[in-house]
Amino acid sequence: QPAYTYSMSNIEDIFTKLDVNKYPQIKEAMKVIKKWNRDSDAKNKQASIMALIIDNLKKNLIKNGMFPAVRNTISEETLVDCIDKAQKHLIKHFGKLEVPLGDVQKLVRGDKALPVSGMPDVNIAMDLTKYKKGMFKGITGESYIEIVQFTPNGVEIESVQPYGQSNKKGAKHYDDQMELFVNHQLKKMTMNYEELMSNNEKIYHPN
């Protein structure tokens, strides 16, 4: 399946059209890119450079007033420059080009930072901003996820969200779903009144 992102019509050129004899400065980076299986799992060691390349390309589009316009054609020179910046970043902060994606990008809330999968325009969407020590943190992408199944035994509901149910720092549910989220797991839910009333932490009026 060719690579695609709605704002860059020719992103696939990275894999098919760049000649390392013409651009020797990205020769080592291209070796890693060619090995990438197009998966954005947190353990994938070739996904990191691609996540940074796409982030660099998006910043370039924004700088030049070309984002969020769609179907932009990126010049070879810009592709090469963004690849070069990505490889230099990985070498500077991690000492190598093949680094697990989860070492580079984190799901962050408060003092908790966990390795997280994803990159722009994939099923596990993720956009980045700078975090610390050469790492990045996810800022947009997946949010509340719910699966509802109607079975012969009734309705089965599972859900997860990136952080937790509370926005209050220090609260029990401020960050207690993060491990579930990064491990692609769900928790059981119910709409059964009796079950809700018999299994709760607190009953209160929202006003």
Side-chain angles (χ1 to χ4, degrees):
Q1 181 72 22
Y4 172 78
T5 175
Y6 73 95
S7 59
M8 311 169 206
S9 63
N10 64 321
I11 190 73
E12 183 70 15
D13 288 359
I14 290 175
F15 309 97
T16 61
K17 294 187 177 180
L18 296 184
D19 183 356
V20 294
N21 293 315
K22 183 178 179 181
Y23 305 107
Q25 70 270 35
I26 61 167
K27 181 178 180 179
E28 295 305 312
M30 289 305 299
K31 289 180 182 178
V32 176
I33 291 167
K34 295 286 188 180
K35 289 168 60 177
W36 185 45
N37 65 359
R38 307 196 182 213
D39 184 273
S40 61
D41 184 80
K43 296 179 181 179
N44 192 299
K45 293 183 178 182
Q46 294 80 43
S48 292
I49 194 165
M50 283 307 305
L52 296 186
I53 290 166
I54 293 171
D55 188 59
N56 289 337
L57 286 167
K58 183 174 286 188
K59 288 174 181 174
N60 181 275
L61 291 176
I62 293 170
K63 179 182 178 181
N64 290 288
M66 299 165 66
F67 186 88
V70 298
R71 294 186 294 277
N72 295 299
T73 299
I74 311 299
S75 69
E76 270 198 9
E77 291 73 19
T78 298
L79 290 174
V80 170
D81 181 61
C82 290
I83 293 170
D84 191 35
K85 287 178 179 176
Q87 73 173 352
K88 285 177 178 176
H89 181 92
L90 289 173
I91 292 297
K92 177 181 178 180
H93 295 284
F94 300 93
K96 54 188 176 180
L97 295 180
E98 295 188 78
V99 184
L101 181 59
D103 289 0
V104 177
Q105 63 181 32
K106 304 291 183 179
L107 181 70
V108 179
R109 182 167 242 204
D111 297 326
K112 185 182 286 189
L114 302 177
V116 67
S117 306
M119 61 177 64
D121 295 322
V122 299
N123 288 336
I124 309 172
M126 184 70 65
D127 280 312
L128 303 174
T129 190
K130 287 183 179 180
Y131 177 41
K132 61 182 180 181
K133 297 180 180 179
M135 295 181 288
F136 296 81
K137 61 180 178 179
I139 51 171
T140 60
E142 304 293 341
S143 56
Y144 180 77
I145 299 168
E146 182 176 270
I147 296 177
V148 180
Q149 300 182 74
F150 298 89
T151 75
N153 299 319
V155 180
E156 297 180 0
I157 307 172
E158 297 176 292
S159 74
V160 71
Q161 56 186 15
Y163 304 112
Q165 194 65 34
S166 174
N167 284 326
K168 184 178 180 181
K169 190 172 183 179
K172 177 181 178 180
H173 300 296
Y174 180 68
D175 58 11
D176 63 338
Q177 294 187 47
M178 290 176 66
E179 285 83 0
L180 289 173
F181 182 79
V182 299
N183 290 312
H184 308 155
Q185 297 174 334
L186 302 168
K187 66 183 189 307
K188 293 287 186 181
M189 290 185 64
T190 182
M191 298 296 289
N192 182 280
Y193 180 78
E194 287 74 19
E195 192 173 344
L196 288 169
M197 296 304 292
S198 65
N199 183 24
N200 63 74
E201 292 183 9
K202 183 178 181 180
I203 298 174
Y204 64 97
H205 194 286
N207 293 327

